[in-house]
Amino acid sequence: QVQLVESGGGLVQAGDSLRLSCVASGRKAVMYTLGWFRQAPGKERQCVAAIHSGGTTYYADSTKGRFIISRDTTDDKVTASLQMTNLKPEDTAVYYCAAALLGRSTSALNLAIWKLYPYWGQGTQVTVSS
């Protein structure tokens, strides 16, 4: 079991930057893959970035070059940060942190499959005005 606590959402203007953080705690939390997903009204859930405990990362095409995911481990907790730059109105959505135990051979593309993630945070709203 792992617990996820997200922070960092808000209202910004197009071109601004925002940083989201997700703290994962619990048994073997440091072994979990952490992903950031987003869902806008009427749209499907989308993985924007994910990072495996071994370092493999995934980025959606729409976020490459603008978003950077990183992870930092302290004792039995791991924090996944999502640095978002040059934000666009189409980035507006509820952003969720998710965690999963995925094998070392998991491909980057598979990190984006939301059905593989059993643990989810409560979500944080990101709104980008034009």
Side-chain angles (χ1 to χ4, degrees), residues 16-114:
D16 284 352
S17 299
L18 204 59
R19 187 179 182 89
L20 305 181
S21 292
C22 171
V23 179
S25 61
R27 188 170 177 265
K28 297 183 179 180
V30 298
M31 298 175 61
Y32 279 72
T33 292
L34 297 178
W36 280 101
F37 294 76
R38 67 186 180 190
Q39 189 162 21
K43 294 189 176 181
E44 294 187 354
R45 193 176 315 185
Q46 174 195 28
C47 181
V48 298
I51 184 165
H52 191 278
S53 59
T56 301
T57 56
Y58 166 87
Y59 291 96
D61 288 342
S62 60
T63 63
K64 283 180 183 176
R66 299 189 300 123
F67 291 11
I68 297 177
I69 190 170
S70 60
R71 63 186 286 150
D72 179 62
T73 301
T74 305
D75 296 328
D76 61 346
K77 295 182 180 179
V78 58
T79 299
S81 298
L82 184 68
Q83 180 66 45
M84 304 184 292
T85 61
N86 189 23
L87 283 162
K88 303 175 181 180
E90 51 264 42
D91 293 319
T92 295
V94 178
Y95 284 69
Y96 297 92
C97 177
L101 275 177
L102 300 178
R104 288 188 177 185
S105 60
T106 303
S107 69
L109 280 177
N110 282 347
L111 299 182
I113 301 173
W114 68 266

